[in-house]
Amino acid sequence: MSDTTEKPASPARIEFETAPERYRHWRIAVNGPVAELILDVDENATLLPGYQLKLNSYDLGVDIELADAVQRLRFEHPSVKVVVLRSGKDRVFCAGANIRMLAGASHAHKVNFCKFTNETRFAMEDASEGSGQRYLCAIQGTAAGGGYELALACDEIILADDGNSSVSLPELPLLAVLPGTGGLTRVTDKRKVRRDRADVLCTLEEGLKGKRAADWRVVDKVVPRSRMEAAVAEAAARLADQSDRPADAQGITLTPLERTREGHIVAYSSLRVEIDPPSRRATLTMLGPDDAPPEDAAAMQQQGARFWPLRLSRELDDALLDLRTNARDIGTLVFKSAGDPARVLAYDAFLEANRTHWLAREILHQWKRVLKRIDLTSRSLVALIEPGSSFAGTLAEIVLACDRSFMLIGTEKGDNRAAAIMALSPLNLGAYPMSNGLTRLETRFLGEPESVDAARATIGSALDAASCEEAGLVTIAYDTIDYADEVRIFLEERASFSADGLTGLEANLRFAGPETMETKVFGRLTAWQNWIFQRPNAIGPDGALKRYGSGVKADFDPERV
Amino acid sequence: MSDTTEKPASPARIEFETAPERYRHWRIAVNGPVAELILDVDENATLLPGYQLKLNSYDLGVDIELADAVQRLRFEHPSVKVVVLRSGKDRVFCAGANIRMLAGASHAHKVNFCKFTNETRFAMEDASEGSGQRYLCAIQGTAAGGGYELALACDEIILADDGNSSVSLPELPLLAVLPGTGGLTRVTDKRKVRRDRADVLCTLEEGLKGKRAADWRVVDKVVPRSRMEAAVAEAAARLADQSDRPADAQGITLTPLERTREGHIVAYSSLRVEIDPPSRRATLTMLGPDDAPPEDAAAMQQQGARFWPLRLSRELDDALLDLRTNARDIGTLVFKSAGDPARVLAYDAFLEANRTHWLAREILHQWKRVLKRIDLTSRSLVALIEPGSSFAGTLAEIVLACDRSFMLIGTEKGDNRAAAIMALSPLNLGAYPMSNGLTRLETRFLGEPESVDAARATIGSALDAASCEEAGLVTIAYDTIDYADEVRIFLEERASFSADGLTGLEANLRFAGPETMETKVFGRLTAWQNWIFQRPNAIGPDGALKRYGSGVKADFDPERV
């Protein structure tokens, strides 16, 4: 199989942390309530060797900066109400994902790359829906493939009418793959383009421009180049008027993560990750807060990035991305916790009490996104709820995100810590919807809504292992005689299964109930794209990705499957 | 790639038409309002060489008989209110899809097999929801994998509590693939089993039995073997009470299809299929009715399987299955029609007026299913609406099912036929929902519901090409100067694209809007399964499918993707 043997050169470790002063491809220019986010790719600053980022095309490195910029605009610039996304180059907006990068990348890299870029596009939409920071896309030049998909993630798209500017999704005709960064789904479900017109768009290499682009709703407006700046300013002012972001708030700085890496241990301030390659497991232990929550919102703002919930969420997010990308043979993530569950609940109460404050709101949305990132991580997820743990409220949500959860009844001899408990907080009831639009409790109890009510009635109470099992909050509780063996057997068995089979299984079982544009992108669209990324017509030696730019047309097997 | 080179021996042509007197694997026993549908597989009567159907396992041949039985129970036995599905063997219910068959089958055969079996499971659910013929599954012995998935398609499952009878989904642990015949989706979304329990079920080779199976809702009831017959009779009587099927109606016989095959032409009574391998196209021309509709329901019943709407639907269904399975290099289906559109509308009006009659109801549901089969056909679908065509009402629905539609304005010189028109009937407004639960008009006009209203206002009117284009019912209308060239260019271009890319593209663009259990099975679940069916961990020389039964464990690449 070409796929598993072909693992091209890649840097020792892909880092997801960055900061504007290190950006090579993006610029942020804040001007009162409007910020410009400018894509100006340095074609030589690639993440992997073997390609150049011509025509504002992107690789994972460019997208890591984008994700960082979207995040910082929310936390560091609370008064920004509208982000205008545009190109720093004259005749091109963005040529999408770099084709030579895709052609040279392993299957796993392609899949990971697509997942991260999709998460980032949804983060843009979340900024708009969740906290009123709207995105406006101004296209001068060509927006092709992923370039147009970037625009699709914005609230509005204005296209210059100059004979050159266009939007296109040429993936199928050029490369035999799909517009997989949400393109297909957003065209039909967000912009609600008629399906036969969407079919035309997706098979037309040169795409659409001018009046037809607006008539078909693939953009919101076309304006002559001379009117472009005025039209963008007008739309930005209108979108800013709709925003509820505070006019005068001070942002906080997302300071560098506290992180040390020693061998297989990554230590953050509130999170410890132990990677164990022989067993193909990583254990993530989250530490509860050391102190009580701050007095008030001003004190929270004063703490800034050190505020425990924000700090832990950023550390957890970084750890997940690191494991996904840099530890691909690790098949199971084991979540543990330590600390005082009452304190975790106190922080939850604090956030709940201050949820209209811009910063508390941002932190709740940030946790929502990190929890979604857990849901979408293609690793087996298991929670171990043991003495001394702090799985309460927001941290209990991680237990609910897991494929399995084991809870120890009582304590081992000689263990002075209190027996494990779990506790729910009001935040478990709606602050953190999954991508299917339901809470994890609602998804879990789809067949017995009365169990959601029963769980609600326990809010704030410490539930011991028997109560948690009875309430259905954990998979199973074992006493000290059986616990260690049962957990060990489970983990060993899990490691013996096919990695791909588990990925498909978990991607299905985790998302019961309704589907949304988000689940459609990560379920339907992504699954089909991953299939295509395995097919010779795309990736074989005579396939379109390999032959692209060679002057020789791809040689397709016509068989329909 | 092992996949494309390995095309194992297969019969010259797989036939989908069968009849009870030719069944090798199923028996139907009708006893008043209750029928028994008994699975008793002849292990030597396989569709392909190289395996035996041990333990009531199945291949496509077994499922073709099941699909036929489900169909005949509806049409030939209107007074049957409950179908009891059971095994004819003593210690086994059904071992699911035959593993050696899967291991030896090409990728295309596996994918086609799964699609057809899934369609058949939904046909069982449609019989229950659509026309009150409920399915009750009585399990004595083991129901493994596809065996349990067969049970999941029933309304109720009764499991014998005898220490032996069990239900299981061992696909992942045994074969490194998914329970892909709806298993994952029905466990979480139909039976609403808690996700961590579903995860236990899907990783436990031996499955569940007894009390736990009922407590976890994987079955509805467990009863001691001695009580089994009484419990089944009790449940059947209760389900029969809920049914609105007529007690005394006479069925009609689904007589053999009129079909002749000569070279690349398949001629049915109301449908002509011309296959053109060099261009990779098949043209399906549907013929409108020769006569006016019958006087009344009794006369319709008298006509039986000759009644035009039923006849055409069965022929179209057979042609679709034939093309999908036996003409896999044919990438585009071109739909044409001929006849008098007013007569088609008259038949629609007749069905609409008689929709409470059991037979008319069955025929409407049958058309719904055939139209869904079109939606789910992984070929490019194009409608050509030309002079002399009869795309009205039910036949217009096929235009709406297509990826593209072209309409000729006026007539070519020398053509005496009337210029093409289209017309809608009340049946376009709700009789034929897609699997997303919306009508094709609603799906098409998701972004402009006012266009659905406008279309409704045209019901019964003959719309010329300009009006159809204006109303958005066709992709584009061309005059005689451009039409032939534009259609030719489109078809040639389509044939030049990657077959797999088109499959993925169409599977996304066709299903805008909400998702249902049905779209989840054909989108999310199937797409992941198809991906897994390409992965070395499942199908490689050291993968689980190839190594099954060899005594040597599969050797998995642990990389998570």
Side-chain angles (χ1 to χ4, degrees):
Chain A
M1 297 277 138
S2 69
D3 173 65
T4 47
T5 52
E6 170 202 299
K7 289 187 184 170
S10 60
R13 177 173 303 282
I14 294 175
E15 286 291 344
F16 286 84
E17 195 183 11
T18 185
E21 56 275 17
R22 285 187 275 148
Y23 291 176
R24 304 289 301 265
H25 309 295
W26 292 92
R27 293 194 302 275
I28 300 176
V30 176
N31 185 7
V34 178
E36 287 195 315
L37 184 53
I38 300 158
L39 179 63
D40 195 358
V41 172
D42 175 349
E43 65 183 33
N44 295 312
T46 63
L47 190 69
L48 306 171
Y51 54 91
Q52 278 194 307
L53 295 170
K54 303 259 189 203
L55 297 172
N56 253 7
S57 64
Y58 60 82
D59 64 2
L60 182 57
V62 177
D63 231 70
I64 287 171
E65 291 184 7
L66 172 61
D68 184 73
V70 170
Q71 184 81 323
R72 285 181 197 272
L73 280 162
R74 295 177 78 162
F75 281 97
E76 302 191 348
H77 303 283
S79 55
V80 165
K81 299 180 171 194
V82 180
V83 180
V84 178
L85 188 72
R86 59 197 322 165
S87 167
K89 305 207 190 293
D90 193 39
R91 290 184 58 81
V92 64
F93 174 77
C94 169
N98 186 274
I99 299 170
R100 292 195 189 284
M101 178 277 293
L102 280 179
S106 69
H107 184 66
H109 185 80
K110 281 199 278 286
V111 169
N112 244 316
F113 167 72
C114 289
K115 185 176 284 184
F116 183 78
T117 54
N118 270 314
E119 288 172 324
T120 304
R121 304 301 169 278
F122 280 114
M124 291 165 60
E125 292 181 334
D126 184 63
S128 171
E129 287 161 33
S131 49
Q133 195 168 67
R134 317 295 298 273
Y135 276 75
L136 172 64
C137 191
I139 302 179
Q140 284 189 175
T142 50
Y148 175 50
E149 289 176 305
L150 201 48
L152 283 168
C154 297
D155 294 286
E156 290 192 19
I157 307 172
I158 302 180
L159 176 67
D161 192 3
D162 57 6
N164 166 49
S165 298
S166 65
V167 299
S168 63
L169 292 172
E171 284 88 342
L172 176 83
L174 278 186
L175 308 170
V177 301
L178 303 181
T181 314
L184 293 182
T185 311
R186 286 197 178 82
V187 163
T188 53
D189 283 68
K190 181 178 183 179
R191 303 196 66 88
K192 299 187 169 73
V193 174
R194 223 174 66 199
R195 54 172 282 199
D196 52 349
R197 289 175 167 173
D199 186 280
V200 173
L201 172 64
C202 296
T203 53
L204 207 59
E205 241 174 82
E206 68 273 24
L208 301 177
K209 57 178 127 178
K211 185 171 179 309
R212 191 156 68 147
D215 284 351
W216 286 18
R217 283 198 300 274
V218 298
V219 303
D220 292 285
K221 205 172 187 176
V222 286
V223 296
R225 196 137 176 164
S226 60
R227 279 266 307 133
M228 199 59 188
E229 289 314 308
V232 168
E234 226 169 79
R238 175 172 42 76
L239 290 173
D241 273 351
Q242 300 164 7
S243 172
D244 65 350
R245 286 179 77 80
D248 49 2
Q250 271 298 109
I252 63 159
T253 301
L254 295 178
T255 49
L257 298 173
E258 291 175 45
R259 188 184 63 185
T260 59
R261 190 184 296 275
E262 238 175 282
H264 290 304
I265 295 182
V266 192
Y268 299 85
S269 75
S270 288
L271 173 68
R272 182 182 166 84
V273 182
E274 295 174 68
I275 301 173
D276 183 41
S279 69
R280 300 202 192 111
R281 286 201 293 276
T283 302
L284 295 89
T285 306
M286 291 160 294
L287 309 179
D290 289 327
D291 303 295
E295 287 269 302
D296 54 22
M300 163 181 69
Q301 175 130 4
Q302 190 65 31
Q303 291 187 14
R306 285 178 301 112
F307 181 56
W308 175 80
L310 177 55
R311 187 157 44 93
L312 176 57
S313 72
R314 290 178 68 213
E315 293 173 352
L316 191 51
D317 210 33
D318 186 69
L320 290 166
L321 292 168
D322 179 38
L323 289 164
R324 278 187 186 177
T325 311
N326 300 312
R328 293 208 292 249
D329 286 357
I330 297 302
T332 302
L333 306 189
V334 179
F335 288 94
K336 295 188 177 190
S337 65
D340 178 357
R343 260 194 198 143
V344 177
L345 289 181
Y347 272 83
D348 274 14
F350 178 87
L351 286 170
E352 172 74 8
N354 289 283
R355 66 188 307 160
T356 59
H357 185 274
W358 77 269
L359 179 55
R361 176 168 81 169
E362 282 309 333
I363 292 169
L364 290 169
H365 284 303
Q366 154 81 355
W367 263 104
K368 178 188 67 186
R369 292 193 301 281
V370 175
L371 289 161
K372 285 183 182 180
R373 182 106 73 195
I374 295 178
D375 296 333
L376 289 169
T377 293
S378 72
R379 309 295 166 97
S380 295
L381 308 172
V382 55
L384 300 183
I385 306 128
E386 301 175 345
S389 67
S390 60
F391 283 119
T394 298
L395 297 191
E397 198 70 19
I398 291 170
V399 175
L400 301 174
C402 284
D403 301 304
R404 300 274 191 103
S405 46
F406 297 88
M407 192 159 180
L408 177 62
I409 302 170
T411 50
E412 305 279 353
K413 239 179 217 160
D415 186 343
N416 294 326
R417 295 172 301 177
I421 61 112
M422 272 180 67
L424 299 179
S425 86
L427 298 185
N428 299 112
L429 297 175
Y432 308 131
M434 298 174 61
S435 44
N436 65 3
L438 304 182
T439 66
R440 284 176 191 76
L441 282 170
E442 287 165 344
T443 305
R444 186 171 185 83
F445 297 126
L446 204 57
E448 37 187 284
E450 67 280 9
S451 295
V452 179
D453 297 332
R456 181 182 296 116
T458 72
I459 279 183
S461 310
L463 305 171
D464 64 13
S467 310
C468 286
E469 191 185 55
E470 170 70 23
L473 297 175
V474 298
T475 310
I476 197 157
Y478 289 112
D479 61 22
T480 54
I481 298 169
D482 294 323
Y483 182 81
D485 274 348
E486 292 288 347
V487 169
R488 181 183 53 76
I489 290 167
F490 164 76
L491 290 171
E492 286 174 6
E493 187 188 64
R494 202 77 177 183
S496 75
F497 294 146
S498 158
D500 307 316
L502 284 171
T503 291
L505 182 79
E506 293 154 1
N508 278 277
L509 295 185
R510 289 179 190 166
F511 299 95
E515 299 256 335
T516 62
M517 213 165 62
E518 213 167 316
T519 62
K520 278 175 108 160
V521 167
F522 290 111
R524 177 185 288 271
L525 177 53
T526 296
W528 281 113
Q529 179 80 310
N530 292 356
W531 176 70
I532 289 168
F533 279 160
Q534 288 279 283
R535 300 286 290 164
N537 282 350
I539 57 143
D542 307 323
L545 270 175
K546 295 284 186 212
R547 288 251 176 114
Y548 180 76
S550 71
V552 185
K553 260 186 72 76
D555 185 18
F556 293 136
D557 179 344
E559 184 177 53
R560 273 288 197 137
V561 166
Chain B
M1 298 281 135
S2 71
D3 173 67
T4 49
T5 52
E6 169 202 298
K7 288 185 186 171
S10 59
R13 177 172 302 281
I14 294 174
E15 285 290 345
F16 286 84
E17 195 183 11
T18 185
E21 57 274 17
R22 284 187 275 147
Y23 290 177
R24 304 290 300 268
H25 311 293
W26 292 91
R27 296 194 301 276
I28 299 176
V30 175
N31 185 6
V34 177
E36 286 195 314
L37 183 54
I38 299 157
L39 178 63
D40 196 357
V41 172
D42 175 349
E43 63 183 35
N44 295 313
T46 63
L47 190 70
L48 306 170
Y51 54 91
Q52 277 194 307
L53 295 171
K54 302 259 188 203
L55 297 172
N56 254 7
S57 64
Y58 59 83
D59 65 0
L60 182 58
V62 177
D63 231 72
I64 287 171
E65 291 184 7
L66 172 61
D68 185 73
V70 170
Q71 184 81 323
R72 285 181 198 272
L73 281 162
R74 294 177 77 161
F75 281 99
E76 302 191 347
H77 304 283
S79 56
V80 166
K81 300 181 172 192
V82 180
V83 180
V84 178
L85 189 72
R86 61 197 320 165
S87 167
K89 304 209 190 291
D90 192 39
R91 292 185 56 83
V92 64
F93 175 78
C94 169
N98 186 273
I99 299 171
R100 294 194 187 284
M101 177 278 293
L102 280 179
S106 69
H107 184 67
H109 185 79
K110 280 199 280 285
V111 169
N112 243 316
F113 167 72
C114 289
K115 185 177 284 184
F116 183 78
T117 54
N118 270 314
E119 288 172 326
T120 304
R121 304 302 169 275
F122 281 113
M124 290 164 61
E125 292 181 334
D126 185 62
S128 172
E129 287 161 33
S131 48
Q133 196 167 67
R134 316 296 298 273
Y135 275 73
L136 172 63
C137 190
I139 302 179
Q140 282 188 175
T142 50
Y148 175 49
E149 289 176 303
L150 201 48
L152 283 169
C154 296
D155 295 285
E156 289 192 19
I157 307 172
I158 301 180
L159 176 68
D161 192 3
D162 58 5
N164 167 49
S165 298
S166 65
V167 300
S168 64
L169 292 172
E171 284 87 343
L172 175 83
L174 278 187
L175 308 169
V177 302
L178 303 182
T181 313
L184 293 183
T185 311
R186 285 196 179 84
V187 164
T188 54
D189 283 67
K190 182 179 184 179
R191 302 196 67 87
K192 300 188 170 73
V193 174
R194 221 174 68 197
R195 52 172 283 200
D196 51 349
R197 289 175 167 174
D199 186 279
V200 173
L201 172 64
C202 296
T203 53
L204 207 58
E205 240 175 84
E206 67 273 25
L208 300 177
K209 56 177 126 177
K211 185 171 179 305
R212 191 156 68 147
D215 284 350
W216 287 17
R217 281 198 301 274
V218 298
V219 304
D220 292 285
K221 205 172 186 175
V222 287
V223 296
R225 195 136 178 166
S226 60
R227 279 266 308 133
M228 199 62 189
E229 288 316 308
V232 168
E234 226 170 79
R238 175 171 42 77
L239 289 173
D241 273 352
Q242 299 163 9
S243 172
D244 66 349
R245 287 180 75 82
D248 48 0
Q250 270 300 110
I252 63 160
T253 301
L254 295 179
T255 49
L257 298 172
E258 291 176 44
R259 187 185 63 184
T260 60
R261 188 184 298 274
E262 237 175 280
H264 290 303
I265 295 182
V266 191
Y268 298 86
S269 75
S270 287
L271 172 68
R272 183 183 166 83
V273 182
E274 296 175 67
I275 300 173
D276 183 40
S279 70
R280 302 203 191 108
R281 285 202 293 277
T283 302
L284 294 88
T285 306
M286 291 160 293
L287 309 178
D290 289 329
D291 303 296
E295 287 269 301
D296 54 23
M300 164 181 68
Q301 175 129 6
Q302 190 63 33
Q303 290 187 14
R306 286 178 298 112
F307 180 56
W308 174 79
L310 177 55
R311 185 158 44 92
L312 176 57
S313 72
R314 291 179 67 214
E315 294 173 351
L316 190 52
D317 210 33
D318 185 69
L320 289 167
L321 291 169
D322 179 38
L323 289 165
R324 277 187 186 179
T325 311
N326 300 311
R328 293 208 291 248
D329 286 356
I330 298 301
T332 301
L333 306 189
V334 178
F335 289 93
K336 295 187 178 192
S337 64
D340 179 357
R343 262 194 196 144
V344 177
L345 289 181
Y347 272 82
D348 274 13
F350 177 87
L351 286 170
E352 172 74 8
N354 290 283
R355 65 187 309 161
T356 60
H357 185 274
W358 78 268
L359 180 56
R361 177 168 80 168
E362 283 308 334
I363 292 168
L364 290 170
H365 284 301
Q366 154 81 354
W367 263 104
K368 178 188 67 184
R369 292 193 301 281
V370 175
L371 289 161
K372 285 183 182 182
R373 182 106 73 196
I374 295 178
D375 296 332
L376 289 169
T377 294
S378 72
R379 310 296 167 97
S380 295
L381 308 171
V382 55
L384 299 182
I385 306 128
E386 300 174 345
S389 67
S390 59
F391 283 118
T394 297
L395 297 191
E397 199 69 19
I398 291 170
V399 176
L400 301 174
C402 284
D403 300 304
R404 300 276 191 102
S405 47
F406 297 87
M407 192 160 180
L408 178 62
I409 302 168
T411 51
E412 306 277 354
K413 236 178 220 158
D415 187 343
N416 294 327
R417 296 172 300 178
I421 61 111
M422 272 179 69
L424 299 179
S425 86
L427 298 185
N428 299 110
L429 297 175
Y432 308 130
M434 298 174 60
S435 44
N436 64 4
L438 304 183
T439 65
R440 284 176 191 74
L441 282 171
E442 286 165 344
T443 304
R444 188 173 184 82
F445 296 127
L446 204 58
E448 39 188 280
E450 68 278 10
S451 295
V452 178
D453 297 333
R456 179 181 297 115
T458 72
I459 280 182
S461 310
L463 304 172
D464 65 13
S467 310
C468 285
E469 191 184 54
E470 171 70 21
L473 297 173
V474 298
T475 311
I476 197 159
Y478 289 112
D479 62 22
T480 54
I481 297 169
D482 295 321
Y483 182 81
D485 274 348
E486 293 287 348
V487 169
R488 182 183 51 74
I489 290 168
F490 165 76
L491 291 171
E492 287 174 5
E493 188 187 60
R494 203 78 176 182
S496 76
F497 294 144
S498 159
D500 308 314
L502 285 171
T503 291
L505 183 79
E506 292 154 3
N508 277 278
L509 295 184
R510 288 178 190 166
F511 299 96
E515 299 257 334
T516 62
M517 213 165 62
E518 212 167 316
T519 62
K520 276 175 110 159
V521 168
F522 290 110
R524 178 185 286 271
L525 177 54
T526 297
W528 281 113
Q529 180 79 309
N530 293 356
W531 176 70
I532 288 167
F533 279 160
Q534 288 280 283
R535 300 285 290 164
N537 281 350
I539 57 141
D542 307 323
L545 271 174
K546 294 286 185 212
R547 287 251 176 112
Y548 180 76
S550 70
V552 186
K553 261 187 72 75
D555 183 19
F556 293 136
D557 180 344
E559 184 177 56
R560 274 287 197 138
V561 166

